[in-house]
Short mmCIF file of all heavy atoms in Angstrom, two decimals:
data_model
loop_
_atom_site.label_atom_id
_atom_site.label_comp_id
_atom_site.label_asym_id
_atom_site.label_seq_id
_atom_site.Cartn_x
_atom_site.Cartn_y
_atom_site.Cartn_z
N SER A 303 32.13 11.86 -48.27
CA SER A 303 32.18 11.95 -46.79
C SER A 303 31.45 13.23 -46.36
O SER A 303 31.52 14.27 -47.01
CB SER A 303 33.63 11.99 -46.38
OG SER A 303 34.27 13.12 -46.90
N GLU A 329 41.55 30.77 -10.25
CA GLU A 329 42.97 30.58 -9.94
C GLU A 329 43.14 30.49 -8.42
O GLU A 329 42.43 31.10 -7.65
CB GLU A 329 43.81 31.70 -10.50
CG GLU A 329 43.50 33.05 -9.89
CD GLU A 329 44.25 34.16 -10.58
OE1 GLU A 329 44.66 33.97 -11.74
OE2 GLU A 329 44.43 35.19 -9.94
N ALA A 454 -27.47 -1.51 5.59
CA ALA A 454 -27.45 -0.63 4.44
C ALA A 454 -26.06 -0.03 4.18
O ALA A 454 -25.63 0.10 3.05
CB ALA A 454 -28.47 0.51 4.61
N GLU A 457 -24.04 -2.73 2.67
CA GLU A 457 -24.49 -2.91 1.29
C GLU A 457 -23.86 -1.87 0.35
O GLU A 457 -23.45 -2.17 -0.74
CB GLU A 457 -26.01 -2.84 1.25
CG GLU A 457 -26.58 -3.26 -0.07
CD GLU A 457 -28.11 -3.34 -0.01
OE1 GLU A 457 -28.70 -3.09 1.03
OE2 GLU A 457 -28.70 -3.66 -1.05
#
Side-chain angles (χ1 to χ4, degrees):
S303 62
E329 65 186 22
E457 190 172 359

